[in-house]
Amino acid sequence: MTGLPPKATVLGSGAGALTIAAELGLAGVEVTLADFPQFGRTLEVVAGVGGVRVDCDWHGRAVAPIAITSTNPAAVVRGAPLVVISVPSFSHRVFAEMLASVLEAGQIVLW
């Protein structure tokens, strides 16, 4: 893969996932951000703002666009050329089991 894909799905809703999603969005990638329903509140905030608010020296103050938010990670992984999982280690097994049945040949997964 050269360069960035046109679309990516980021799984998780903590600081790491939000940072990854923001950087991809600011780079022009159409980002889907997803997590399980128990973490839906963060996704609601992102959807309400239209993205992830950033405030840093290199980006200044901006809202990094997030195209889609979802509390159904399995559904939004299908067809994504790049899937990035940024969750705590105690959640790895749950995400791995969910992903095992939905990942497709050719998808790039970054854990």
Side-chain angles (χ1 to χ4, degrees):
M1 178 167 131
T2 59
L4 293 171
K7 296 181 179 183
T9 295
V10 177
L11 302 180
S13 57
L18 294 174
T19 300
I20 293 164
E23 290 293 342
L24 288 169
L26 289 170
V29 175
E30 183 180 309
V31 177
T32 296
L33 181 65
D35 207 339
F36 291 114
Q38 61 265 40
F39 304 105
R41 180 65 187 126
T42 298
L43 299 173
E44 290 172 9
V45 172
V46 170
V49 171
V52 177
R53 289 184 181 153
V54 295
D55 185 356
C56 61
D57 292 341
W58 54 95
H59 291 306
R61 287 184 177 200
V63 175
I66 303 298
I68 299 167
T69 59
S70 175
T71 55
N72 187 350
V76 296
V77 164
R78 290 185 178 92
L82 174 64
V83 179
V84 182
I85 302 102
S86 179
V87 297
S89 60
F90 58 80
S91 297
H92 286 183
R93 183 180 189 133
V94 173
F95 275 87
E97 289 171 351
M98 178 271 302
L99 289 169
S101 65
V102 296
L103 287 175
E104 303 163 346
Q107 285 181 295
I108 296 171
V109 179
L110 177 61
W111 207 288

